[in-house]
């Protein structure tokens, strides 16, 4: 009886692998690949790949990164990207992206709530520096011996010289045509919608993916957290990006008319205006003072 039970246990089928991360890890190990190899192929940081394999989506920047990185990982190891991303969405729906981390309560009188001695000395130094700055300001503007009328007298203003007209310079043509957004990195979440109207598109773009703003849209707007990683063209002509750094933007117009005023990529900036020399100021007060 015992031998039969043992034999039955040995031949029982293994349970299927559950979880998107576990499936990705199993596919990678089956091909004899290291995490470093996947990181080099996908240009995804190794720590993010390890977090996906462990199902630790809290370590990733956002939900969009969890889905986009998992899709790219699945393509490299030969799994179905749609199946993996659906699995990731199910895991995220279970609340795995909660950002609130419970912390132990602090009892009254806990020394951790009191500032350290170093912090107290730093605060005292900042107050001292502020006091010295205020004293120097008042000493400069109210202790120089100048009369009040002199301090309040109108100061000479620099005037700009008349602009020199440039002959035979035609205005730059205004770009027209469809507005196209191109992702320059993986995992760029974008939402396009009409102001006060319906949502037109919402996607997580991978590097090289293109998203065209419908030409028939009325006052189209964009929400995204990576405007610096989106190339913008109007009718195939490049214009300036929506931002030069990573930041969350919301409700920014992306119609051809709204973006037409942006300078083309690599366009030269206008020369600075020529300033006329300022009139010389003569001292009117006691020695060592004059018109500021």
């Amino acid at each position: 009886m015992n031998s039969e039970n043992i034999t039955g246990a040995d031949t029982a089928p293994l349970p299927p692998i559950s979880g998107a991360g576990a499936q990705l890890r199993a596919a990678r190990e089956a091909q004899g690949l290291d995490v470093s190899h996947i990181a080099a192929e996908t240009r995804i940081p190794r720590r993010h790949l390890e977090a996906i394999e462990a199902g630790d989506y809290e370590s990733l920047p956002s939900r969009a990164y969890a889905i986009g990185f998992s899709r790219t990982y699945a393509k490299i190891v030969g799994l179905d990207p749609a199946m993996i991303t659906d699995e990731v969405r199910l895991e995220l729906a279970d609340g795995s992206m909660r950002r609130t981390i419970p912390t132990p309560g602090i009892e009254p009188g806990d020394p951790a709530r009191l500032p350290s001695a170093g912090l107290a000395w730093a605060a005292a130094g900042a107050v001292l520096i502020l006091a010295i700055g205020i004293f120097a300001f008042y000493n400069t503007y109210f202790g120089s011996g100048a009369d009040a009328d002199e301090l309040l007298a109108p100061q000479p203003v620099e005037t700009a010289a008349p602009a020199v007209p440039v002959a035979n310079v035609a205005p730059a043509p205004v770009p027209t045509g469809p507005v196209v957004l191109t992702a320059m990195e993986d995992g760029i979440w974008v939402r396009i919608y009409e102001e006060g109207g319906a949502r037109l598109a919402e996607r997580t773009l991978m590097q090289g993916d293109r998203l065209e703003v419908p030409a028939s849209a009325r006052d189209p707007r964009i929400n995204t957290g990576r405007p610096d990683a989106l190339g913008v063209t109007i009718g195939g002509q490049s214009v300036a990006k929506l931002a030069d750094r990573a930041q969350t933007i919301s409700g920014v117009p992306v119609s051809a008319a709204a973006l037409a005023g942006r300078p083309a990529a690599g366009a030269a900036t206008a020369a600075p205006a020529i300033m006329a020399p300022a009139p010389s100021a003569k001292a009117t007060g006691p020695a060592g003072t004059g018109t500021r």
Side-chain angles (χ1 to χ4, degrees):
M1 179 66 66
N2 293 336
S3 61
E4 292 179 356
N5 292 337
I6 295 174
T7 304
D10 291 340
T11 59
L14 295 176
I17 299 176
S18 62
Q23 295 179 46
L24 292 170
R25 181 177 65 251
R28 172 181 61 78
E29 293 175 348
Q31 299 179 32
L33 300 177
D34 187 73
V35 177
S36 299
H37 177 83
I38 303 298
E41 289 290 330
T42 61
R43 293 187 293 178
I44 298 174
R46 179 190 178 103
R47 65 180 185 279
H48 290 167
L49 296 174
E50 292 174 343
I52 291 173
E53 288 188 353
D56 181 18
Y57 302 118
E58 286 287 343
S59 301
L60 300 177
S62 68
R63 173 190 177 93
Y65 280 84
I67 296 173
F69 286 170
S70 298
R71 178 188 294 109
T72 304
Y73 193 162
K75 292 179 181 178
I76 292 298
V77 297
L79 296 182
D80 184 0
M83 181 190 67
I84 292 297
T85 53
D86 288 344
E87 182 73 21
V88 172
R89 289 189 179 95
L90 289 175
E91 295 178 29
L92 295 176
D94 292 338
S96 60
M97 287 296 288
R98 288 192 296 267
R99 294 295 181 184
T100 303
I101 302 176
T103 56
I106 301 178
E107 296 295 334
D110 192 338
R113 302 181 62 180
L114 302 178
S116 63
L119 181 60
W121 279 108
V127 172
L128 179 60
I129 293 173
L130 179 61
I132 294 174
I134 295 174
F135 175 80
F137 174 83
Y138 277 91
N139 185 61
T140 300
Y141 286 93
F142 297 99
S144 60
D147 296 333
D149 293 339
E150 178 184 349
L151 293 174
L152 299 177
Q155 306 301 315
V157 179
E158 294 182 353
T159 58
V164 179
V166 180
N168 300 326
V169 177
V174 177
T176 58
V179 176
V180 178
L181 307 174
T182 303
M184 296 183 291
E185 297 181 14
D186 286 339
I188 308 302
W189 175 81
V190 176
R191 174 184 292 170
I192 304 295
Y193 62 95
E194 290 182 342
E195 176 64 12
R199 182 184 304 174
L200 302 175
E202 182 174 359
R203 291 174 53 191
T204 299
L205 304 178
M206 307 308 293
Q207 185 176 14
D209 287 352
R210 295 158 54 89
L211 178 60
E212 181 175 338
V213 178
S216 60
R218 295 176 299 176
D219 191 13
R221 304 294 179 108
I222 185 173
N223 292 356
T224 184
R226 291 298 310 278
D228 59 313
L230 288 174
V232 184
T233 60
I234 303 177
Q237 181 176 345
S238 296
V239 298
K241 293 187 289 187
L242 299 174
D244 294 329
R245 60 184 178 85
Q247 58 181 317
T248 300
I249 62 174
S250 177
V252 175
V254 287
S255 63
L259 298 176
R262 293 175 172 270
T269 56
I274 302 174
M275 302 298 292
S280 59
K282 296 182 179 180
T284 58
T289 63
T291 304
R292 297 184 185 277

